[in-house]
Amino acid sequence: MTDFSPAMLRWYYSQAARSDGRDWFVMPPSGQLYSYPGAMPDETQAAYRDLMDHYAQVMDTTGSVHWEWVLQWQRAYDTYFPRFTDPSRSGVTSFFMNQVPWMFPIVGPAYHIFGEGDNSVVAFKPAFNWAPGVSSAGKTYTPQECADHINKFDLGSVQYIYVLGYTDPQDVFDMVDLLDEHVEIVSHEELAS
């Protein structure tokens, strides 16, 4: 949208400005391009990292959804995410991972931290994918079932839910209204800090 429809992007940002800071933007799957960066050769990964940072600055965000094929995560952990810890760059500091195909869970902890201090980057795996009524895309929970599931997360845990784009926003609002008091919804920047 930054290149092909900047007017539409400005409209989204103007709508978000009315939300009193409750709306946030992250870049779409794998950021600047629907791709699988763990599968890219080293030179392409380096150039792609630069594009990611550029578009993060254009969009005024530090977060990006990140897709990889089921067996590519280790290469992404070893070669791609560490590229974002270089102190000479600024841009993406948090990634929200999702697996292709999504039915297979990402193995490992809820999140990975790369680097240290101000140069760190965090990659989060989803607790689950949520797509009410669309069994081919994720859990088909009703808003009540989704809230019940989230309310059972361990206290103090850091989680994110991958909500599919065609989910009715009202389902999300209804689910949030059903969360227990101990559950806190935070921005991607707060989650990564």
Side-chain angles (χ1 to χ4, degrees), residues 93 113-122 192:
T93 59
I113 299 174
F114 302 89
E116 296 179 6
D118 291 341
N119 299 320
S120 65
V121 174
V122 184

Side-chain angles (χ1 to χ4, degrees), residues 100-152:
V100 177
W102 68 269
M103 293 80 74
F104 302 105
I106 299 171
V107 177
Y111 57 90
H112 294 267
I113 299 174
F114 302 89
E116 296 179 6
D118 291 341
N119 299 320
S120 65
V121 174
V122 184
F124 299 93
K125 77 174 188 178
F128 58 89
N129 290 0
W130 185 39
V134 185
S135 61
S136 64
K139 301 288 186 188
T140 59
Y141 297 146
T142 64
Q144 180 67 62
E145 291 168 330
C146 188
D148 290 345
H149 190 80
I150 293 170
N151 289 333
K152 293 177 186 170

Side-chain angles (χ1 to χ4, degrees), residues 54 66 92 145 159:
H54 167 74
H66 185 89
V92 182
E145 291 168 330
Q159 304 281 346

Side-chain angles (χ1 to χ4, degrees), residues 30 33-46 48 66-81 83 100:
S30 296
L33 173 70
Y34 282 90
S35 62
Y36 307 98
M40 294 176 179
D42 288 341
E43 317 77 55
T44 306
Q45 276 187 1
Y48 193 71
H66 185 89
W67 284 359
E68 289 292 347
W69 284 106
V70 67
L71 299 175
Q72 291 293 325
W73 287 108
Q74 194 59 53
R75 176 153 161 69
Y77 296 151
D78 292 344
T79 65
Y80 183 66
F81 295 125
R83 292 180 187 280
V100 177

Side-chain angles (χ1 to χ4, degrees), residues 150-159 182:
I150 293 170
N151 289 333
K152 293 177 186 170
F153 287 166
D154 291 339
L155 291 178
S157 65
V158 176
Q159 304 281 346
H182 72 273

